[in-house]
Amino acid sequence: MKAEKIFNCLIVDDEPPAREILKRYIRQIPMLNLIDECNNALQALAVLQSHAIDLLFLDIHMPQVSGLELIKTLKAPPKIVLTTAFEQYALQGFELDVADYLLKPIQFDRFLKAVMKALPKEVVQDQVSERPVEPLSNQAFLYFRADRKMVKVLIKDIQYIESLKDYVKIITEKGTIITKYSIAALAVMLPEESFIRTHRSFIVAIDKITSFTNESLEIQQYQIPVSKLYRQLVLKSLNVFPH
């Protein structure tokens, strides 16, 4: 039997939520082995000196020493994937020969493409997990880039999500956020016992639904369409079965 190749990974990011998302993604790929996580470049240097790291997920904006400055200190760096909320540093990153550049919030399909760029493609395709991305719990939260800042959204506060082509509109109990994100990526991340797809462009929180018909449902003042494709799934989630 052919031995499975394992690649050691290191996450360096000063934001705990960003590290949590990367850890969940890494767990979906059996060939990736997370050695450690660090919240600054100085901690990362110590890990890099004591472990053989194959793949480094590195944030750019960090206190004291930035991710780009860290790269310049490494004589024999591992494969590097930059992770950041600021796209203006992409060119500088590629000039430092990084494998890829991921913009936050990071979607799983985009993460997987970065791994395939950084590591031998045929190895990744052979060993990547077919399991869905591990869902978030209702007590968890995500950060979304909106209005030039990262906005924290509690999963339990989400009422519904609407796709706007390359963007999504997230309606929460505290307001509305529009961010560049894929509704398909959000669908697999949200807890399936708490959220339901009603339409190719809509995801709703089940416990926020106040009334419904075969064609639509209501969440407070909002009316959400229910398409024929998703109707039976919606009715089943609401414990309603056709006679």
Side-chain angles (χ1 to χ4, degrees):
M1 181 181 293
K2 185 179 178 180
E4 181 179 280
K5 173 65 176 174
I6 299 297
F7 296 92
N8 292 333
C9 304
L10 174 64
I11 297 172
V12 187
D13 198 308
D14 62 326
E15 297 179 346
R19 296 199 302 270
E20 286 299 317
I21 288 175
L22 287 173
K23 284 192 293 184
R24 289 192 302 104
Y25 288 174
I26 287 172
R27 286 197 293 266
Q28 307 308 309
I29 305 178
M31 61 181 287
L32 298 184
N33 174 45
L34 181 61
I35 293 294
D36 206 346
E37 57 178 295
C38 304
N39 60 24
N40 62 64
L42 297 179
Q43 289 181 359
L45 273 174
V47 176
L48 288 165
Q49 290 170 359
S50 59
H51 294 80
I53 301 298
D54 301 301
L55 183 56
L56 174 61
F57 295 97
L58 179 63
D59 187 23
I60 290 180
H61 277 271
M62 293 184 293
Q64 297 181 319
V65 180
S66 73
L68 296 178
E69 290 170 337
L70 173 62
I71 295 174
K72 294 174 183 178
T73 69
L74 302 177
K75 293 182 179 180
K79 292 292 184 180
I80 298 172
V81 174
L82 290 176
T83 62
T84 181
F86 305 95
E87 58 187 330
Q88 64 265 33
Y89 297 101
L91 179 58
Q92 190 175 355
F94 285 120
E95 287 175 347
L96 293 171
D97 199 28
V98 302
D100 208 348
Y101 187 99
L102 296 177
L103 281 175
K104 300 175 182 177
I106 299 167
Q107 303 172 28
F108 180 73
D109 57 349
R110 185 65 185 84
F111 170 86
L112 182 57
K113 287 181 181 178
V115 172
M116 294 179 71
K117 281 185 180 181
L119 302 178
K121 185 174 181 180
E122 64 277 7
V123 177
V124 180
Q125 288 177 329
D126 287 344
Q127 299 185 31
V128 67
S129 171
E130 296 181 355
R131 292 174 297 164
V133 177
E134 178 185 340
L136 295 165
S137 71
N138 281 330
Q139 301 304 313
F141 54 86
L142 290 170
Y143 276 94
F144 295 99
R145 190 155 60 102
D147 299 325
R148 299 182 180 179
K149 59 186 176 183
M150 300 301 288
V151 181
K152 181 179 181 179
V153 176
L154 296 176
I155 302 301
K156 65 181 181 63
D157 288 343
I158 297 175
Q159 295 180 320
Y160 76 89
I161 299 166
E162 179 181 359
S163 174
L164 305 171
K165 292 188 177 180
D166 294 332
Y167 291 78
V168 291
K169 180 168 66 174
I170 304 171
I171 307 298
T172 78
E173 295 177 352
K174 298 178 180 178
T176 299
I177 295 168
I178 296 178
T179 186
K180 192 170 184 178
Y181 216 89
S182 160
I183 195 168
L186 278 176
V188 297
M189 292 175 65
L190 295 170
E192 61 181 11
E193 71 275 9
S194 303
F195 288 85
I196 184 68
R197 195 86 173 257
T198 68
H199 186 280
R200 66 180 183 179
S201 298
F202 288 89
I203 298 172
V204 305
I206 296 173
D207 67 346
K208 303 294 194 302
I209 298 172
T210 52
S211 64
F212 66 91
T213 68
N214 281 344
E215 288 76 34
S216 66
L217 54 83
E218 291 182 357
I219 297 178
Q220 294 187 6
Q221 73 271 29
Y222 304 110
Q223 187 164 322
I224 314 298
V226 176
S227 70
K228 291 183 179 179
L229 179 63
Y230 292 95
R231 184 173 298 158
Q232 295 304 318
L233 184 62
V234 170
L235 293 176
K236 183 177 179 181
S237 297
L238 297 175
N239 293 320
V240 177
F241 300 94
H243 296 289

